[in-house]
Amino acid sequence: MGLFDHFLRDIRSVINRDGEDNAIPPLDGALSPNDRLDACTVIGDPLPGLDDVVAAADGALFVSAGKCVLRLSGDGFASRAVVAEFEGDAGGLAVHPDGRLLVCVAGRGLVALDPARPNPHWLNAVDGQMLAGLTSVAASADGRIFAVEGSSGRPPDAWRRDLMEKRHHGRLIACDASLGSPATLLQGLHYPYGIAIAPNRSELWFTESWAHRISRMALSGSGAGHPIVIQRNLPGYPARLKSDGRGGFYLGLFARRTHLIEFVLKEDDFRQEMIAGMPPDYWIAPAYAGGADCLEPMQIGGVKALGIQKPWAPPRSYGLLVHLDGDGEATDSIHSRAGGRFHGITGACATPQGAVIASRGAGCLLLAPGEF
């Protein structure tokens, strides 16, 4: 970055210092901090690599963890069985209206698992580009399938590098029920992470993590309309959206935005040197979980005092699940603050027993009983 570029950046920051790109909104109102996520019930033993959870029609759960998809059933979801195992990590999940399980597989694409057929059906590429980084998938009532790829050509586990390089190479794709006729509906997205069909079945909602926003677009028989932003400048990085079964959504935010990270994203020279000379786990960047390695970057406010990390400390990782109404407005939220146990919320789904939540940072499934 040259002297003139530094000068222009400083001028912009002074003129627009309270603009959307600079101001991180506070956690207040429906997003007021609490410790309700830490009070949730843990379902079974930890699942290393836990990423997503979806409810089946019979009340069971499908869970992606590492390279496997598991089925959890029975009282308290105590019974576990491996449904499928892949070469790459299993990620976003959805149940198709015809009963098939749709799975996003890192480096491979989208697979449809049919209990009645031994051989799975794959979608590996769209418009000549391999589907290496699918993050989430959804199916509409008419059978069409929609999926988002966080960063074209890059696997999901490279998300931290994608943020630090300030890329926006994500895309939204669609195909028919047989995984045929694939097409790219949107491209150039800022790491789309979650996608869901609205309760009215006429809209498609999706999140963009690096742009901190949620958008929706109308569905029609021939495709989809122009996207409209309905929530912008969120206080964290949005992950997956899932229906709550009552006309709203569960939205996971896998990490909080912080002023330090926002500052690093503006300092191109420093950031490029950090990328070139340090392992990604030690970058000044968000994380699913933190505090396990003494080499992690830390702000002075995050130092433990008397063995305790204050809940208001600057968070390297954070746990946050938000409930949205049908218009996209936040109505409630449950948190695991700095020093809490269950960070990195990447997915949640509604069940008759309550909301089941995937904490990737802890590798644990959580049950929030009652309506949330």
Side-chain angles (χ1 to χ4, degrees), residues 323-342:
H323 179 262
L324 305 176
D325 64 17
D327 296 320
E329 295 293 330
T331 62
D332 198 2
S333 62
I334 56 177
H335 301 239
S336 178
R337 296 185 281 180
R341 296 182 295 161
F342 304 124

Side-chain angles (χ1 to χ4, degrees), residues 11-12 15 53 58 67 72 74 110 140-141 161 185 187 205 221 223 225 235 298 302 308 311 314 321 334 343 351:
I11 290 296
R12 292 192 190 101
I15 294 175
V53 58
D58 62 359
K67 299 182 187 316
L72 277 59
L110 179 66
S140 62
R161 178 176 293 274
L185 301 183
Q187 54 188 350
W205 291 36
M298 179 185 295
I308 300 173
L321 180 68
I334 56 177
H343 292 181
T351 74

